[in-house]
Amino acid sequence: MTEDHIFTDGLKIGNRVGAAFVHFTNKQEITKSQYRLADHNTFYMAEVLAINKAIDYFLDHELYDVKIVSDSRPALTTVEPLSDNREFIWQIKKRLKDGEDIKLMWVRVQNGE
């Protein structure tokens, strides 16, 4: 049985903002994608965009039983409850509902201290 994991991340260094995801099947890297956001975006929006792009990828490639893994608890909690009214967030929620095989997971990041 195949295990598909898509790891997402957002980043802001100075004024530069980016998002990325990496797809692994059975611990083998399959693909990675990176996205540059406009400088006015926040780190949080980069995290949400990375999840959004991972969902797009999941649905476009008709994958099943995928785990999307993020270290951003705020981004994950935003896309799960129904209380958020932003159109972008609602689009993510709709695609999550359509892709019943998608599971969102949070991982704690070590600070390296």
Side-chain angles (χ1 to χ4, degrees):
M1 184 167 165
T2 57
E3 278 191 21
D4 286 291
H5 290 83
I6 301 177
F7 294 87
T8 64
D9 203 9
L11 138 99
K12 182 165 186 161
I13 299 175
N15 287 335
R16 299 186 61 125
V17 184
F21 72 82
V22 181
H23 173 208
F24 287 89
T25 298
N26 296 332
K27 300 181 182 180
Q28 292 271 137
E29 183 179 315
I30 303 301
T31 190
K32 59 184 168 188
S33 294
Q34 300 175 338
Y35 306 92
R36 174 85 161 85
L37 285 74
D39 292 344
H40 67 272
N41 282 287
T42 63
F43 167 74
Y44 165 78
M45 282 309 298
E47 293 281 357
V48 171
L49 178 71
I51 293 170
N52 185 44
K53 292 295 188 178
I55 294 167
D56 285 345
Y57 174 84
F58 166 88
L59 295 174
D60 289 347
H61 289 84
E62 298 179 359
L63 300 172
Y64 299 95
D65 196 29
V66 172
K67 293 175 179 70
I68 297 176
V69 182
S70 171
D71 65 352
S72 175
R73 187 175 284 194
L76 290 172
T77 57
T78 296
V79 299
E80 288 181 327
L82 298 175
S83 61
D84 198 297
N85 293 328
R86 290 172 283 190
E87 181 63 27
F88 180 67
I89 302 301
W90 272 106
Q91 289 173 9
I92 292 172
K93 290 177 187 181
K94 181 182 181 322
R95 287 201 315 281
L96 279 172
K97 185 178 177 189
D98 293 344
E100 294 176 4
D101 290 329
I102 301 172
K103 293 171 186 64
L104 298 176
M105 300 174 62
W106 173 72
V107 294
R108 178 172 293 181
V109 176
Q110 290 183 314
N111 291 341
E113 295 177 350

